[in-house]
């Protein structure tokens, strides 16, 4: 059971400002059992709780065992408030939602922007929970297999753990609480650690306020028993499996806490479109959203897929009844007739029952509703965007603050890093292409036995001969991201930075760059995997709908992403380890802005100029582009500054978190957790009275209502062939013997169809066409009339039968009055009319009637 305030702000009109909370009660499958609006919590929810207890009792269902709340979980004086509300459920255990419990400790920090705040909350979560060892081991193997498929270097086991995201940990792993004593000991030690000198940042600002955190800890110690998992109760449901890294992982749904209701609150605000709604529209949208939400959660709780995907219960009931009648079985085995309405008040009806008001029917007073809604200022409401559909479990600690630009590529610790083969000796330098500057390093001499040192001092570690020390002796150098081969990346970056002032690359320099690139690990030789920089659909805006345009989706948003100086789309340097190493070296070279002739050049402009010059040299060297996949992508000032600031914060966090971070980021339990529940095979039958649907009547065999002037097919009439009428007193001209008669005289009669076509009806043998005088064409055809004519005839017949004629229209005035001169609009007073325009002598500005008519005819 949980409450929210956000959706109540959408109430407009007469109900604006009357609701303070929207309280919802859900079950373990995520369905919402009841949703009410109240003016306050506490006693205002007694009626809701009594109705829920009555519903369970009348349906014959077993009462719930556990309920999670955000307040009133326990009491020192008798039963708690929640226990008293649900007095009909004797075995109900009241538990405190752990996220709300952790948020109470957050009130004791000086600021949530403190660098150690995230570490404190993550360690607080590890003090409460421990994970299932088998689930965590399976997730590690899956992550290792996923990273090994990308052909990267060696990576430690700790680095693999940091690649596991919060969502993956909550989806594939189960956890349990540690117990009251263990939790008390761990939280006490955590507060003692962060409430000391270790809990200060580099400026000496403490994370915790000493007096507040001690008072909070003293008050929350009594709630440690309220956050423990109930005994002999399985909180996890296995919803399916997912294959990741060639490992089959189980997917779980947890019934602990109010995480599902927090997700429902996110969607609840979207049930009511726009920013405001009247009470009747609010109620209609709320009930429709509840029905659809529960229908989706029911489909997720049952195995298989439904045969009919529809939110209309009446349609599914009609299909079920027809299937039972025709096929003798149910068309959809998952369908169950919903239960009958129990009379409980929901939404706005519950709110009005507390204040003595009644819910106004829709469109009872539309003018008043429009006036009240127009008074609402839409700018007072914050527009909600379509964010992530699924709600993350915020009690799961964040193991790794991922850089949005970095592609996580790594290899499991059990694999050995494949060392790069020694680079081939470069071709001998040509005398016609000496190095352009004396500070550039020289390549090793071409003579094979033992290589003599180069004539110039090496400018980087890359110039040290690789044969002087074996790869095994040197060992793999692990970079900041936990991937091996960082020394090879640094060698190439240093060599390229040393060429930042060159005007071109010589063959000798290109050979050296190719040699250094060949020594890179495979992960750094692959093409850069650029992260998506566009949105499939807009998540902001008043109506949350994408703009209609004729461009390719995503292209315009890519062009607009992170626009800064020099004004083009760019990536972060951390997208590639090589580019990041180059930018790191350039930042160490350009540490401050320079001023020349009174013009100041910012530090970032100097770094970008050097980087872009190196990039131009690489792109303008065809041999280098052909023999390597060296990718130096575009950077701009905004992405460069963002990367640098993020890097500075990460380094500061590394210093502050020394000795503060937990040794085991994913603490596992000593034994395995109980097996989870399985997904339902079929829904249980509906208990209690069922809802009686009023289905539309069966119109089988009845003619549809046609358009005016059309008749059913059964109303066709025969049209006999009539002879040509003659003058009075003259006999018809008989057909002479041997004279050929008309074809219709032999074949039969013509029939007039409803679509005004003729059909030929075959005549019986020995029956001749009548020819005694002219035929009554009108009566034979039976001319159809429109339904409006039939209605008028019935009305006149009813008036004649009852003797009460329709009241005739009586004109109230004898003539219309001109609004300009006030005289009657008649010819006697000089007025005339042409179309919808009226001529007035006083308003004609001296024009005669003939001139005015000429102008009006010219305008037509």
């Amino acid at each position: 059971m949980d409450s929210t305030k956000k959706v109540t702000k959408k109430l407009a009109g007469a109900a604006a400002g009357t609701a303070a909370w929207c309280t919802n009660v859900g079950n373990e499958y995520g369905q919402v059992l009841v949703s009410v609006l109240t003016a306050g919590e506490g006693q205002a929810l007694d009626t809701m709780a009594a109705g829920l207890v009555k519903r369970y009792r009348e349906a014959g269902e077993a009462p719930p065992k556990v309920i999670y709340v955000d307040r009133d979980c326990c009491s020192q004086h008798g039963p708690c408030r929640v226990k008293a509300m649900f007095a009909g459920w004797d075995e109900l255990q009241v538990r405190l939602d752990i996220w709300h419990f952790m948020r109470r400790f957050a009130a004791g920090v000086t600021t949530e922007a403190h660098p150690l705040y995230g570490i404190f909350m993550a360690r607080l979560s590890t003090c409460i929970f421990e994970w299932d060892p088998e689930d965590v081991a399976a997730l590690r193997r899956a992550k290792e297999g996923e990273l090994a498929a990308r052909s990267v270097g060696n990576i430690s086991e700790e680095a693999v753990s940091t690649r596991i995201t919060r969502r993956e940990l909550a989806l594939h792993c189960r956890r349990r609480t540690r117990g009251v004593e263990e939790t008390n000991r761990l939280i006490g030690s955590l507060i003692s650690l962060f409430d000391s000198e270790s809990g200060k940042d580099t400026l000496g600002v403490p994370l915790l306020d000493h007096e507040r955190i001690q008072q909070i800890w003293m008050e929350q110690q009594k709630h440690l028993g309220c956050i423990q998992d109930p005994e002999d109760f399985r909180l996890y449901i296995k919803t399916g499996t997912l294959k990741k890294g060639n490992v089959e992982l189980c997917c779980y749904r947890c019934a602990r806490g109010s995480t599902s209701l927090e997700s429902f609150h996110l969607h609840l605000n979207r049930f009511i479109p726009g920013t405001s709604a009247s009470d009747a529209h609010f109620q209609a949208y709320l009930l429709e959203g509840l029905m659809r939400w529960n229908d989706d959660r029911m489909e997720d709780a049952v195995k298989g897929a439904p045969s009919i995907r529809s939110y209309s219960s009446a349609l599914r009931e009609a299909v079920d009844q027809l299937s039972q009648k025709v096929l003798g079985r149910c068309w959809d085995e998952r369908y169950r007739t919903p239960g009958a309405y129990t009379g409980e008040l929901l939404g706005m009806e519950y709110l009005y029952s507390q204040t003595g008001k009644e819910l106004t029917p829709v469109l009872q007073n539309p003018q008043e509703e429009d006036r009240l809604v127009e008074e609402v200022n839409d700018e007072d409401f914050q527009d909600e965007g379509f964010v992530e559909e699924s709600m993350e479990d915020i009690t799961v600690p964040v193991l790794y603050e991922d850089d949005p630009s970095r592609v996580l590529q790594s290899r499991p610790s059990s694999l050995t890093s494949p060392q790069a083969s020694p680079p081939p000796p470069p071709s001998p330098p040509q005398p016609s292409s000496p190095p352009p500057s004396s500070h550039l390093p020289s390549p090793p001499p071409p003579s094979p036995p033992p290589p003599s040192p180069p004539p110039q001092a090496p400018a980087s570690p890359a110039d040290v001969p690789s044969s002087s020390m074996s790869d095994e002796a040197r060992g793999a150098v692990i970079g900041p991201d936990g991937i091996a081969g960082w020394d090879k990346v640094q060698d190439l970056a240093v060599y390229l930075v040393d060429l930042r002032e060159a005007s071109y690359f010589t063959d000798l320099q290109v050979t050296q760059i190719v040699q250094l690139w060949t020594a890179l690990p495979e992960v750094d030789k692959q093409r850069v995997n650029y992260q998506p920089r566009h949105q499939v659909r807009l998540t902001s805006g008043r109506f949350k709908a994408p703009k209609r345009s004729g461009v390719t989706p995503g292209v315009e948003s890519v062009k607009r992403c992170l626009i800064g100086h020099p004004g083009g789309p760019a990536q972060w340097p951390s997208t590639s380890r090589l580019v990041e190493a180059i930018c790191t070296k350039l930042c160490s070279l350009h540490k401050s802005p320079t001023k020349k002739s009174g013009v100041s050049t910012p530090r970032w402009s100097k770094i970008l100029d050097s980087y872009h010059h190196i990039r131009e040299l690489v792109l303008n060297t065809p041999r280098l582009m052909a023999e390597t996949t060296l990718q130096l992508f575009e950077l701009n000032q905004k992405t460069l500054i963002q990367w640098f600031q993020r890097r500075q914060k990460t380094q500061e966090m590394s210093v502050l978190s020394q000795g503060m971070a937990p040794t085991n980021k994913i603490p596992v339990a000593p034994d395995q957790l109980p097996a989870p529940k399985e997904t339902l095979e079929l829904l249980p039958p509906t208990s209690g009275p069922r809802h009686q649907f009023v289905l539309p009547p069966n119109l089988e065999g009845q003619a549809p209502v046609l358009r005016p002037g059309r008749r059913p097919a059964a109303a066709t009439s025969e049209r006999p062939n009539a002879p040509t009428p003659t003058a009075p007193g003259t006999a018809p001209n008989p057909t002479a013997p041997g004279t050929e008669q008309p074809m219709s005289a032999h074949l039969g009669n013509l029939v007039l169809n409803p679509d005004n076509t003729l059909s030929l009806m075959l005549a019986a043998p020995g029956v001749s066409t009548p020819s005694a005088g002219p035929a009554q064409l009108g009566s034979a055809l039976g001319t159809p009339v429109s339904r409006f004519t039939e209605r008028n005839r019935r009305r006149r017949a009813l008036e004649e039968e009852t003797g009460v004629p329709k009241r005739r229209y009586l004109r109230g005035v004898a003539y219309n009055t001109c609004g300009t001169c006030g005289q009657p609009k008649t010819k006697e007073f000089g007025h005339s009319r042409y179309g919808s325009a009226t001529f007035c002598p006083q308003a004609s500005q001296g024009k005669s009637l003939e001139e005015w008519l000429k102008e009006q005819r010219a305008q037509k």
Side-chain angles (χ1 to χ4, degrees):
M1 182 171 64
D2 198 10
S3 302
T4 180
K5 277 187 175 182
K6 186 176 294 185
V7 71
T8 60
K9 299 179 182 179
K10 288 194 173 184
L11 274 175
T18 58
W21 294 95
C22 178
T23 304
N24 307 280
V25 181
N27 59 10
E28 65 270 23
Y29 297 105
Q31 294 177 304
V32 179
L33 303 179
V34 62
S35 178
V36 297
L37 273 74
T38 62
E41 293 184 304
Q43 295 182 355
L45 301 176
D46 290 344
T47 306
M48 179 204 71
L52 197 58
V53 172
K54 180 182 176 182
R55 188 198 308 179
Y56 269 79
R57 183 175 62 253
E58 293 181 352
E61 291 289 337
K65 300 295 184 182
V66 185
I67 182 172
Y68 283 89
V69 295
D70 58 353
R71 52 176 294 182
D72 299 330
C73 57
C74 59
S75 175
Q76 298 179 355
H77 309 284
C80 64
R81 177 62 188 158
V82 177
K83 185 74 173 179
M85 279 197 309
F86 298 95
W89 296 338
D90 299 332
E91 300 180 358
L92 181 66
Q93 303 180 40
V94 182
R95 290 290 185 266
L96 177 63
D97 179 59
I98 298 180
W99 179 76
H100 290 88
F101 174 79
M102 295 174 60
R103 288 298 302 169
R104 296 178 182 181
F105 285 91
V109 303
T110 56
T111 174
E112 294 187 2
H114 198 279
L116 295 176
Y117 175 75
I119 299 178
F120 174 75
M121 298 303 293
R123 291 201 57 176
L124 182 61
S125 176
T126 59
C127 294
I128 300 174
F129 292 107
E130 56 185 3
W131 298 87
D132 182 79
E134 293 190 2
D135 292 342
V136 173
L139 181 58
R140 288 183 188 273
R141 292 194 303 269
K143 182 59 67 172
E144 289 176 356
E146 191 178 52
L147 298 176
R150 302 175 184 176
S151 302
V152 226
N154 184 24
I155 187 170
S156 63
E157 183 177 355
E158 182 181 357
V160 173
S161 299
T162 58
R163 298 304 192 268
I164 299 177
T165 63
R166 169 193 284 178
R167 188 180 301 276
E168 291 175 334
L169 197 60
L171 179 63
H172 302 299
C173 299
R174 296 166 294 158
R175 57 179 176 168
R176 68 183 180 190
T177 53
R178 292 177 175 269
V180 177
E181 296 181 359
E182 183 69 10
T183 304
N184 190 358
R185 183 185 64 83
L186 293 176
I187 295 180
S189 302
L190 178 67
I191 293 178
S192 300
L193 175 63
F194 280 85
D195 197 19
S196 62
E197 294 296 328
S198 301
K200 296 181 179 180
D201 61 1
T202 54
L203 298 178
V205 179
L207 169 66
L208 302 178
D209 184 277
H210 177 73
E211 295 181 359
R212 275 189 296 171
I213 196 63
Q214 294 298 332
Q215 182 66 24
I216 291 173
W217 174 229
M218 186 181 303
E219 294 176 355
Q220 297 307 316
Q221 285 183 4
K222 62 182 180 181
H223 294 298
L224 293 179
C226 301
I227 64 174
Q228 303 301 318
D229 292 341
E231 298 181 0
D232 301 330
F233 190 85
R234 294 182 293 178
L235 294 174
Y236 284 90
I237 301 175
K238 182 180 177 181
T239 59
T241 58
L242 180 64
K243 194 170 185 179
K244 182 179 297 185
N246 294 327
V247 178
E248 199 78 17
L249 296 176
C250 297
C251 299
Y252 302 105
R253 178 183 181 86
C254 183
R256 180 191 298 108
S258 57
T259 304
S260 60
L261 283 182
E262 295 293 342
S263 177
F264 172 73
H265 291 165
L266 175 67
H267 292 264
L268 178 63
N269 210 34
R270 303 176 189 165
F271 291 165
I272 293 86
T275 57
S276 60
S278 64
D279 52 358
H281 293 92
F282 188 97
Q283 180 77 355
Y285 287 130
L286 176 63
L287 296 181
E288 176 72 9
L290 286 173
M291 186 273 298
R292 295 195 174 199
W293 174 271
N294 289 338
D295 194 16
D296 290 341
R297 303 290 80 72
M298 179 190 65
E299 298 297 341
D300 297 339
V302 184
K303 294 181 179 180
S307 302
I308 303 175
R309 188 57 178 160
S310 174
Y311 288 115
S312 176
S313 300
L315 174 62
R316 300 183 66 178
E317 178 69 18
V319 172
D320 185 73
Q321 293 183 9
L322 292 176
S323 176
Q324 293 282 2
K325 181 179 178 181
V326 177
L327 304 177
R329 60 178 179 84
C330 296
W331 180 270
D332 187 2
E333 297 292 341
R334 300 156 55 101
Y335 173 72
R336 297 292 182 269
T337 303
Y341 176 54
T342 59
E344 299 178 53
L345 300 180
L346 303 174
M348 292 297 303
E349 293 179 339
Y350 190 88
L351 175 66
Y352 282 170
S353 67
Q354 298 177 346
T355 58
K357 296 182 180 180
E358 293 184 358
L359 185 62
T360 307
V362 181
L363 298 181
Q364 179 174 347
N365 191 358
Q367 291 80 9
E368 181 66 14
E369 286 293 337
D370 292 342
R371 184 187 66 81
L372 293 174
V373 172
E374 286 297 331
E375 294 178 356
V376 179
N377 185 10
D378 290 344
E379 296 180 356
D380 297 338
F381 297 91
Q382 182 179 1
D383 193 10
E384 293 283 329
F386 286 103
V387 294
E388 183 67 24
E389 294 296 331
S390 57
M391 189 71 179
E392 288 188 355
D393 191 349
I394 45 189
T395 62
V396 179
V398 178
L399 305 178
Y400 178 63
E401 292 291 346
D402 188 18
D403 188 341
S405 65
R406 186 183 299 278
V407 181
L408 305 182
Q409 297 179 342
S410 52
R411 171 166 291 202
S413 57
S414 59
L415 300 180
T416 305
S417 172
Q419 299 293 336
S421 58
S427 58
Q430 301 294 332
S432 60
S433 58
S437 58
S438 59
H439 71 278
L440 297 179
S442 302
S447 55
S452 60
Q456 298 179 2
S460 66
D463 300 307
V464 180
S466 58
S467 60
S468 61
M469 186 179 296
S470 63
D471 294 336
E472 291 78 12
R474 295 179 59 183
V477 179
I478 307 299
D481 53 355
I483 302 178
W486 182 243
D487 55 337
K488 308 297 183 182
V489 176
Q490 288 288 330
D491 294 345
L492 179 56
V494 170
Y495 192 84
L496 290 176
V497 170
D498 289 339
L499 297 175
R500 66 187 183 278
E501 296 180 359
S503 301
Y504 52 87
F505 286 164
T506 64
D507 289 343
L508 181 64
Q509 294 167 348
V510 171
T511 302
Q512 183 69 13
I513 294 175
V514 173
Q515 178 182 358
L516 293 173
W517 178 87
T518 307
L520 291 176
E522 291 297 328
V523 61
D524 297 304
K525 295 180 183 179
Q526 297 175 357
R527 290 183 53 84
V528 177
N529 186 9
Y530 300 102
Q531 296 298 308
R533 307 292 296 278
H534 69 281
Q535 292 175 308
V536 179
R537 59 179 180 179
L538 297 182
T539 58
S540 60
R542 183 175 181 181
F543 302 105
K544 309 180 195 66
K547 298 179 181 179
R548 299 293 184 264
S549 60
V551 300
T552 305
V555 174
E556 292 299 322
S557 54
V558 167
K559 292 180 179 179
R560 294 193 298 264
C561 70
L562 294 177
I563 295 298
H565 182 75
Q571 296 288 335
W572 289 281
S574 54
T575 305
S576 169
R577 295 209 303 173
L578 176 61
V579 176
E580 185 174 16
I582 293 175
C583 292
T584 303
K585 298 298 181 183
L586 292 177
C587 289
S588 61
L589 293 175
H590 305 288
K591 298 181 179 181
S592 61
T594 58
K595 193 171 185 180
K596 184 177 181 181
S597 302
V599 179
S600 178
T601 303
R603 173 192 185 189
W604 312 112
S605 298
K606 296 164 59 178
I607 295 174
L608 286 176
D609 291 342
S610 299
Y611 174 80
H612 288 149
H613 181 68
I614 297 173
R615 183 170 180 265
E616 288 294 328
L617 292 177
V618 173
L619 295 177
N620 294 332
T621 308
R623 178 189 165 194
L624 189 59
M625 297 296 295
E627 297 183 9
T628 66
T629 57
L630 191 60
Q631 299 179 70
L632 302 182
F633 42 80
E634 182 69 26
L635 299 179
N636 61 24
Q637 184 169 329
K638 187 170 185 179
T639 57
L640 180 63
I641 295 176
Q642 286 181 347
W643 163 79
F644 182 80
Q645 293 177 348
R646 190 183 300 117
R647 181 171 177 268
Q648 292 293 101
K649 292 180 180 179
T650 303
Q651 292 178 349
E652 182 182 2
M653 282 296 302
S654 301
V655 175
L656 291 176
S657 61
Q658 289 181 345
M660 307 291 290
T663 55
N664 188 5
K665 296 185 178 181
I666 310 179
V668 296
D671 54 347
Q672 189 177 0
L673 273 67
K677 297 180 181 179
E678 294 292 337
T679 310
L680 299 176
E681 295 289 345
L682 289 175
L683 286 176
T686 303
S687 55
R690 300 185 180 184
H691 178 72
Q692 300 296 327
F693 287 91
V694 181
L695 300 178
N698 188 4
L699 302 179
E700 182 182 1
Q702 301 182 21
V705 179
L706 302 178
R707 299 194 305 271
R710 303 292 300 274
R711 294 179 301 161
T716 56
S717 59
E718 295 184 0
R719 179 177 181 178
N721 293 327
T724 304
T726 57
T730 60
N733 186 17
T735 304
T739 306
E740 185 178 359
Q741 297 182 355
M743 183 64 66
S744 59
H746 298 282
L747 299 180
N749 299 325
L750 296 175
V751 179
L752 180 64
N753 297 322
D755 55 354
N756 297 329
T757 59
L758 295 177
S759 301
L760 186 62
M761 302 294 293
L762 298 179
V767 180
S768 60
T769 304
S771 58
Q776 301 294 331
L777 185 60
S779 60
L781 292 177
T783 305
V785 295
S786 67
R787 63 176 182 270
F788 302 102
T789 304
E790 294 179 358
R791 183 188 62 187
N792 294 333
R793 289 176 180 176
R794 289 194 302 268
R795 180 178 56 78
R796 287 193 293 268
L798 182 61
E799 293 175 359
E800 295 175 358
E801 181 180 354
T802 58
V804 181
K806 180 181 178 181
R807 184 178 66 84
R808 296 183 178 276
Y809 172 74
L810 298 177
R811 185 177 178 87
V813 294
Y815 49 79
N816 296 331
T817 304
C818 179
T820 303
C821 62
Q823 296 179 353
K825 289 185 178 181
T826 58
K827 188 176 182 180
E828 290 77 8
F829 292 92
H831 290 77
S832 181
R833 190 175 182 86
Y834 184 82
S836 59
T838 303
F839 173 78
C840 178
Q842 296 186 10
S844 62
Q845 300 178 356
K847 298 180 183 179
S848 63
L849 178 61
E850 290 75 12
E851 295 175 350
W852 180 82
L853 289 174
K854 185 177 180 181
E855 291 181 358
Q856 294 297 323
R857 293 189 182 98
Q859 293 177 2
K860 295 294 183 181

